[in-house]
Amino acid sequence: MKKSIKNTMKLLPALLLLALAEGNAVADSNKTPTDLDKMLVYISTTPFTPIDGTFMVDGMMGDGMHFQKEVLKRTDEEIAQDRNNAIDFFQSRFGISVTDPRVHFSGFEILPELEYRAVVISGENVPPKGWPVHDGGWMVIVMDPQGIDLGGEFAGTHVTPGTMFVHANYLIDKKPTPVLLNYQAKRPIVPDTYGSFQVNCEIFSEQYGNGQAIGGTLPVALPDGRMLINTRNIITFPPFGKTAAEILSVEAQ
């Protein structure tokens, strides 16, 4: 027994060095990339049962009020203001009137069953499973089989049916303090023939400043009737990195 204890004591320095090395490796993995102030990564890899073929609470008939009232804890007045802000945004950026019968306008909330999670927040010790991301807000979907012509910043651009536009929020259930990010579509979200789509959104955060999200969703129908939304989303602050931000700032002067 004494010999065993003695041998263990001899190993302690090596074990401590190994533990420190592993700790440093974890810390290094959480570091912010050199040209950024902050980086976040979201993923969804959990199968779920779709609602009328969608990944939204209550499907296409949902209004997103659970997200607004229960998740964001907004008052009726705050919800009405946010809705009006979204309507103004869709009109100014894309030239879309939400009363146009060729489009569908509504509130939305992404199904919690997707287990959309923030698995990386640079500078933070994120648990292996990540923190839950609540995703919801306001959207417009083109319903006309012929598509529509956009206006605003995209005047003259024709988009196909199923094209989406969003003005919404991410609430990351980070402990001990949640993180709220506001986002809005930088360009139309156009699905391809396989139902996949790329998302490019502007991000606004009181905590991190202005950023951008670039993500992709490649839905997979599973044999048991469930679906895998298969989303990967990378968010960076500032939007294009600090080097590009400096160049853009100089050119704007």
Side-chain angles (χ1 to χ4, degrees), residues 6-233:
K6 187 175 182 181
N7 289 336
T8 302
M9 293 299 292
K10 288 181 179 179
L11 287 173
L12 276 177
L15 292 172
L16 286 171
L17 286 173
L18 180 61
L20 287 171
E22 290 179 348
N24 287 336
V26 171
D28 288 345
S29 69
N30 293 330
K31 283 185 177 179
T32 302
T34 302
D35 202 40
L36 301 172
D37 291 326
K38 200 75 174 178
M39 182 182 76
L40 299 82
V41 178
Y42 302 164
I43 65 171
S44 174
T45 59
T46 302
F48 67 98
T49 301
I51 307 296
D52 64 20
T54 77
F55 47 87
M56 295 176 288
V57 173
D58 297 326
M60 288 290 289
M61 300 306 294
D63 60 9
M65 287 301 104
H66 172 268
F67 178 76
Q68 296 288 341
K69 294 182 177 181
E70 302 302 325
V71 177
L72 298 185
K73 307 297 183 183
R74 284 174 172 162
T75 64
D76 289 343
E77 291 75 16
E78 289 171 332
I79 294 170
Q81 182 61 61
D82 192 56
R83 183 179 185 275
N84 289 335
N85 291 343
I87 291 171
D88 292 343
F89 167 73
F90 296 135
Q91 180 67 61
S92 62
R93 174 153 295 174
F94 301 109
I96 294 175
S97 169
V98 299
T99 59
D100 187 330
R102 299 175 300 167
V103 304
H104 172 76
F105 167 67
S106 70
F108 75 93
E109 179 181 5
I110 300 302
L111 282 167
E113 289 83 353
L114 270 66
E115 293 196 4
Y116 200 23
R117 291 179 173 271
V119 294
V120 173
I121 301 180
S122 64
E124 308 271 355
N125 289 318
V126 183
K129 194 174 182 180
W131 283 307
V133 176
H134 304 277
D135 183 356
W138 310 95
M139 68 176 179
V140 170
I141 301 178
V142 176
M143 305 300 291
D144 193 312
Q146 303 302 315
I148 64 172
D149 293 325
L150 301 179
E153 299 173 19
F154 291 84
T157 300
H158 183 80
V159 293
T160 53
T163 298
M164 298 174 285
F165 311 86
V166 290
H167 182 279
N169 306 97
Y170 297 127
L171 182 68
I172 306 171
D173 194 11
K174 173 180 171 291
K175 305 300 182 184
T177 306
V179 175
L180 179 66
L181 305 179
N182 305 319
Y183 71 90
Q184 59 189 27
K186 180 67 175 174
R187 59 190 64 185
I189 303 169
V190 184
D192 62 20
T193 54
Y194 301 101
S196 301
F197 54 88
Q198 177 183 319
V199 176
N200 181 201
C201 290
E202 297 168 325
I203 305 288
F204 307 99
S205 165
E206 291 185 3
Q207 191 169 351
Y208 305 137
N210 295 342
Q212 76 165 329
I214 298 177
T217 294
L218 294 83
V220 176
L222 301 176
D224 62 3
R226 293 185 297 170
M227 181 182 288
L228 180 67
I229 199 63
N230 201 25
T231 294
R232 310 290 186 272
N233 191 5

